[in-house]
Amino acid sequence: MSMRRVVLFTKFERFWHWTQMTLIFILLFTGFAIHGTHHLMPFDKAVMVHTFAALALILLWVFAIFWHLTTGTWRHYVPTSNGLFPVARYYAFGIFKGEHHPYRKTYQRKHNPLQALSYLGLKLFLFPAIWLSGLLYLFYPMWSNMVAGSNWLEGVAILHVISAFAILIFIIAHIYLLTTGHSFKEHVMPMVTGYDEVDLSEAEEAYLQQDELGHIKS
Amino acid sequence: MKFKHSLILMLTLCFSTAYADSSTPKPATAPKHASTSTADHSQFEILKQAFKSGPELTAACLTCHTEASHQVKQSLHWKWEYKHPETGQMLGKKHVINSFCGNVASNEPRCTSCHVGYDWKDMSKEPPAEDNKVDCVVCHDTTGTYSKWPTGAGHPLYEPTVSKGVTVMPPDLSKVAQSVGLPERENCGSCHFFGGGADNVKHGDLSTALLTPDKHTDVHMAADGLNFACTTCHVSTEHQIEGSRYAVNTHDDGKKKPGERRDVATCESCHSNKPHPDNTLKHVKLNNHTEKVACQTCHIPEFAKGGVATKTSWRWSEAGKLKDGKPYSEEGYTQGNGEHLHTYLSTKGKFEYGEDVVPHYAWFDGQVEYNLLSEKIDPSKVVEVNKINGSAADSDSRIWPFKRMEGSQAYDKINKTLVMNNVWGPTTDTAFWTNFDWAKAIQAGMDAIDAEYSGEFGFVDTYMYWPITHMVAPKDEALDCADCHSDNGRLADIKGVYMPGQSKNATLDKLGMLAVILTILGVLGHGLIRLFLNKRGKQS
């Protein structure tokens, strides 16, 4: 085993992450403008931007899902209890005592178990909840006659707003956790350059040096 | 200017204590449409005679237009009676009570000056049966000289008559007969602009401002624009004119086959139910609204435009006050075109007016239910003289704009019903406008239709609703999204629909905000403890 700097986040993954981040910020801003929480943008413009940003994000996610499935990256998110408790314990106590993070990322497992579980929850529940409710909301006129007189739309709207709050909370925690390593920059840079320090097995090291030379630094 | 002349007549008679200067309407003559008729009526021998009366003139019309009289007699303009197909209520001017002059019964000769016939003097009977009692020229006169004398039970003047010191000349019926044509807006307006006794009193969206409006006042009727006549939209078949206030067509898919006759007076009949063109997101969104929001709601942001105010409150309960035993008037309102309007009349009570009025909005399925004498009222609440039916739950309903008229009207304290009043009758001892005695006026009104009346009356506050559909604004004046999609927007009182920007689940919003704030505090706390303990760790 040896620590090497390798490409942990490929070009598409980084493009996906930052585009998604931009779109989510736009959606949060315009969404809360539509909801009437703030008045920094006129309603009609907010609806327009919100709709196009949402459609763009969904398109991005169609590609992202395809990418997860075809590259096998989805395996990074398979939940595991292996090492989950020490990580949780670290954030609750150890971090205050200056302990080291108990998790070492590997080439096959770039997220710690708690992180992977959070992302899985985000991808399997929160994102689908906001898209599904958003699409139902957007295309309400196509099904409104089926539920005439009910308060279905209100239900959809409430689900959408709950999901939005949950995503906002996720973002706050996500950004905060970037500060918990040696430095904020050290946590952010891998998502910019793609490179991160990973404990490689000999086989992995040999494979990368032989076949993916551009993905490993000498 | 003949139209002006007839207006003066109507107004001076209506406000018996009016000043001459208070009833001078702005001179206006709507641009005429060129005749496309294949007949030149001035060439017909039978029309070149000195007609002595309206019925005599009608008899001449009928020699060629053999079916016209029969057709008119099938119309609401003639019958003043309408059996509502949904509610079964018997409506029409013959039966309903409104919050303006009240009722026709017992006031016939005055009220039937707007009947499309001659000599209907008793509402308890059918209109006169003879074919020549139909008034052809009130709708078809193009000279602007023919007008029904306000107290003539539908007849024009036949002799020069002095009214309020002015000698009024009768129309030249021969000339009128030779100049007939399709109805222009003066013809319809001579009654419909003056409902409730004066210009724009009743509807709010029908006034002399529509004779030569600018585009702001009415984009369809603008003289320098489309220049629509009323009949451009209110099409007719066999003298049955489309467009009903009792049973409104709230949904029209707007699809018409080529050459198919339009038989509805809806916006959609021309504009379709996908009226916003091209497929921009905004237009797709707006087209999605048409299922639930009437065109009028966004496109008539205000009514009573063009300088002519509408009456917004009429309190009969204040009527009858006298000064030195004599009726008096006050003129406390000056409308946009400079005319002074009465704010008090001993004959009628206290008035309030509005111009550029923001409508009242309500779900509307097209059915209007009236508070007829058979309905019991609850005097502890504001009584709705007519009820607008509809709800969010009903797929026929759309959100519509209304004029909400506020009133204060007499009612029967024991039987708990509205009552009919005898207001007009210069020579009777019952008419309120002559004698200022409510007890006698109500008794005479109720007797006229053989209605049950306890003899004890009081006054009750009322609302009356008038669907708004005219005075469509140019598209750049239509409501903006945020006019409704915002806190306390225009539709804040509309129930049963979730409107982004306006509808909010306050508890959810509070909980959401709380969760966000707690998260921020949580991470800040976590961070501060880290910072503090790390420092201490380093120091030790």
Side-chain angles (χ1 to χ4, degrees):
Chain A
M1 301 286 275
S2 61
M3 293 299 281
R4 296 292 300 267
R5 288 186 69 76
V6 299
V7 171
L8 206 53
F9 301 101
T10 57
K11 273 194 191 121
F12 174 77
E13 198 170 9
R14 284 175 275 148
F15 168 78
W16 163 50
H17 176 270
W18 293 113
T19 313
Q20 175 168 274
M21 181 210 79
T22 311
L23 289 171
I24 286 178
F25 274 110
I26 292 172
L27 285 162
L28 278 170
F29 181 77
T30 54
F32 281 112
I34 293 166
H35 192 57
T37 311
H38 67 77
H39 302 281
L40 302 170
M41 196 177 188
F43 185 87
D44 52 341
K45 301 279 180 302
V47 169
M48 196 112 67
V49 175
H50 195 76
T51 307
F52 282 121
L55 293 174
L57 184 58
I58 287 171
L59 180 69
L60 180 66
W61 251 83
V62 170
F63 281 104
I65 290 167
F66 180 77
W67 174 83
H68 274 84
L69 294 178
T70 51
T71 60
T73 320
W74 59 273
R75 290 194 184 87
H76 286 276
Y77 302 95
V78 175
T80 172
S81 60
N82 185 18
L84 179 65
F85 180 71
V87 173
R89 200 199 141 277
Y90 167 75
Y91 285 119
F93 306 106
I95 191 169
F96 303 124
K97 297 180 190 159
E99 285 178 13
H100 285 289
H101 200 291
Y103 187 72
R104 290 281 157 273
K105 44 182 91 158
T106 70
Y107 196 59
Q108 297 302 329
R109 204 66 204 191
K110 56 192 169 197
H111 307 306
N112 76 51
L114 192 64
Q115 198 181 4
L117 197 62
S118 314
Y119 292 161
L120 188 68
L122 185 72
K123 290 173 181 196
L124 287 189
F125 302 106
L126 215 44
F127 283 171
I130 202 148
W131 296 329
L132 196 66
S133 58
L135 285 170
L136 283 171
Y137 211 150
L138 186 62
F139 293 105
Y140 176 66
M142 293 176 75
W143 55 280
S144 61
N145 274 344
M146 288 155 56
V147 294
S150 72
N151 41 16
W152 262 82
L153 182 63
E154 183 166 10
V156 167
I158 285 175
L159 180 60
H160 201 66
V161 173
I162 291 176
S163 312
F165 275 121
I167 288 170
L168 179 56
I169 287 167
F170 175 88
I171 290 169
I172 295 166
H174 184 66
I175 294 170
Y176 170 69
L177 287 171
L178 292 177
T179 68
T180 57
H182 293 293
S183 73
F184 184 78
K185 190 182 164 205
E186 189 186 304
H187 259 145
V188 176
M189 284 319 280
M191 199 47 96
V192 178
T193 63
Y195 283 97
D196 201 359
E197 296 245 321
V198 170
D199 217 358
L200 291 183
S201 69
E202 277 173 30
E204 284 166 344
E205 197 174 2
Y207 159 74
L208 287 169
Q209 274 178 335
Q210 182 109 34
D211 293 328
E212 301 279 0
L213 208 50
H215 280 211
I216 184 160
K217 287 215 164 157
S218 48
Chain B
M1 297 310 102
K2 295 292 169 52
F3 185 68
K4 171 182 168 185
H5 175 79
S6 65
L7 293 193
I8 293 172
L9 280 181
M10 294 202 64
L11 294 176
T12 45
L13 272 123
C14 193
F15 294 105
S16 50
T17 52
Y19 315 149
D21 70 357
S22 73
S23 48
T24 311
K26 72 171 174 188
T29 312
K32 294 274 187 291
H33 296 84
S35 171
T36 53
S37 175
T38 49
D40 175 358
H41 284 81
S42 67
Q43 294 187 30
F44 291 102
E45 286 305 318
I46 195 164
L47 300 179
K48 294 178 182 167
Q49 53 171 308
F51 297 105
K52 286 188 194 64
S53 72
E56 216 179 284
L57 166 51
T58 296
C61 302
L62 296 180
T63 56
C64 289
H65 299 279
T66 56
E67 305 309 306
S69 203
H70 176 70
Q71 289 178 1
V72 171
K73 285 182 183 177
Q74 309 305 311
S75 72
L76 189 59
H77 276 145
W78 176 263
K79 290 180 170 177
W80 285 16
E81 186 167 63
Y82 178 83
K83 188 167 172 39
H84 197 292
E86 300 285 327
T87 64
Q89 279 192 318
M90 199 56 105
L91 304 174
K93 287 189 182 301
K94 199 173 164 182
H95 300 284
V96 299
I97 295 174
N98 68 33
S99 54
F100 297 86
C101 290
N103 51 279
V104 177
S106 78
N107 305 302
E108 284 87 346
R110 179 67 190 84
C111 298
T112 52
S113 66
C114 267
H115 182 240
V116 67
Y118 302 110
D119 295 320
W120 194 10
K121 291 169 184 163
D122 186 351
M123 276 297 118
S124 63
K125 298 195 180 99
E126 296 298 310
E130 300 92 323
D131 280 350
N132 65 349
K133 294 285 185 175
V134 169
D135 185 347
C136 304
V137 289
V138 70
C139 300
H140 293 287
D141 170 44
T142 64
T143 66
T145 58
Y146 182 91
S147 67
K148 289 161 163 292
W149 189 244
T151 57
H155 286 275
L157 281 183
Y158 300 125
E159 300 292 335
T161 302
V162 178
S163 171
K164 299 280 161 199
V166 181
T167 306
V168 184
M169 299 302 289
D172 178 346
L173 292 181
S174 179
K175 194 179 161 209
V176 166
Q178 291 173 49
S179 328
V180 290
L182 290 173
E184 292 283 354
R185 54 189 102 170
E186 279 95 341
N187 298 96
C188 309
S190 69
C191 283
H192 291 281
F193 291 165
F194 297 97
D199 199 356
N200 207 18
V201 161
K202 195 185 269 175
H203 288 272
D205 61 348
L206 286 176
S207 78
T208 55
L210 294 179
L211 288 173
T212 53
D214 55 12
K215 283 181 181 163
H216 160 74
T217 303
D218 192 307
V219 74
H220 296 109
M221 299 181 86
D224 61 345
L226 293 164
N227 195 27
F228 278 14
C230 306
T231 51
T232 311
C233 297
H234 293 274
V235 292
S236 61
T237 314
E238 297 176 354
H239 284 93
Q240 314 301 309
I241 295 167
E242 289 302 334
S244 166
R245 195 163 44 73
Y246 294 128
V248 174
N249 190 339
T250 54
H251 273 86
D252 178 14
D253 65 12
K255 288 180 196 139
K256 295 287 169 290
K257 289 171 188 152
E260 187 179 357
R261 182 162 196 110
R262 289 191 292 124
D263 58 354
V264 280
T266 61
C267 307
E268 292 92 330
S269 63
C270 289
H271 292 282
S272 90
N273 58 359
K274 298 264 176 288
H276 307 94
D278 62 58
N279 283 325
T280 62
L281 179 68
K282 187 162 187 177
H283 283 185
V284 171
K285 278 270 160 207
L286 289 175
N287 282 340
N288 284 343
H289 282 68
T290 61
E291 187 67 20
K292 290 289 170 196
V293 181
C295 309
Q296 290 88 335
T297 298
C298 299
H299 289 277
I300 311 179
E302 284 110 27
F303 62 88
K305 295 191 283 186
V308 181
T310 189
K311 210 164 268 187
T312 54
S313 166
W314 180 333
R315 300 191 69 78
W316 276 105
S317 52
E318 307 283 328
K321 290 183 204 160
L322 301 176
K323 274 184 184 163
D324 305 324
K326 284 184 181 147
Y328 69 101
S329 65
E330 287 165 5
E331 282 191 337
Y333 188 91
T334 306
Q335 68 182 15
N337 68 3
E339 275 179 55
H340 304 291
L341 304 180
H342 287 119
T343 43
Y344 184 78
L345 279 171
S346 298
T347 46
K348 293 185 169 185
K350 211 172 156 194
F351 308 131
E352 284 169 29
Y353 299 88
E355 281 175 83
D356 305 317
V357 182
V358 172
H360 168 86
Y361 299 97
W363 287 106
F364 184 36
D365 65 3
Q367 315 307 326
V368 183
E369 224 174 304
Y370 269 73
N371 204 319
L372 301 171
L373 286 182
S374 51
E375 324 284 328
K376 293 280 176 208
I377 62 168
D378 177 358
S380 66
K381 293 184 186 138
V382 179
V383 171
E384 293 184 312
V385 176
N386 63 352
K387 258 205 295 290
I388 298 306
N389 287 336
S391 75
D394 159 33
S395 61
D396 282 338
S397 291
R398 298 205 290 174
I399 298 166
W400 275 68
F402 293 89
K403 171 185 169 182
R404 186 167 75 177
M405 179 72 186
E406 291 174 9
S408 164
Q409 292 171 250
Y411 78 106
D412 183 330
K413 274 178 128 169
I414 307 297
N415 293 329
K416 302 265 191 295
T417 66
L418 293 175
V419 293
M420 300 238 175
N421 306 315
N422 171 216
V423 292
W424 188 85
T427 57
T428 66
D429 67 345
T430 55
F432 187 81
W433 292 350
T434 316
N435 306 288
F436 302 100
D437 183 337
W438 277 115
K440 282 183 179 172
I442 295 169
Q443 190 68 57
M446 296 301 267
D447 287 348
I449 53 159
D450 287 328
E452 201 184 324
Y453 175 53
S454 71
E456 280 191 53
F457 66 92
F459 289 88
V460 66
D461 286 346
T462 59
Y463 284 141
M464 189 170 191
Y465 302 95
W466 296 82
I468 294 297
T469 194
H470 307 104
M471 295 191 174
V472 175
K475 62 183 167 191
D476 55 359
E477 292 180 30
L479 287 188
D480 189 61
C481 307
D483 285 317
C484 301
H485 291 281
S486 57
D487 289 323
N488 300 315
R490 286 204 180 200
L491 302 183
D493 293 333
I494 291 287
K495 300 236 173 357
V497 66
Y498 187 88
M499 274 191 289
Q502 194 229 258
S503 316
K504 283 188 196 67
N505 187 315
T507 319
L508 170 62
D509 281 8
K510 273 183 200 145
L511 286 176
M513 279 301 176
L514 188 68
V516 170
I517 290 165
L518 287 178
T519 308
I520 293 171
L521 290 176
V523 300
L524 284 178
H526 196 272
L528 283 173
I529 297 172
R530 264 170 59 209
L531 210 64
F532 177 68
L533 291 180
N534 281 354
K535 265 188 188 161
R536 210 173 59 174
K538 276 177 192 161
Q539 279 166 3
S540 67

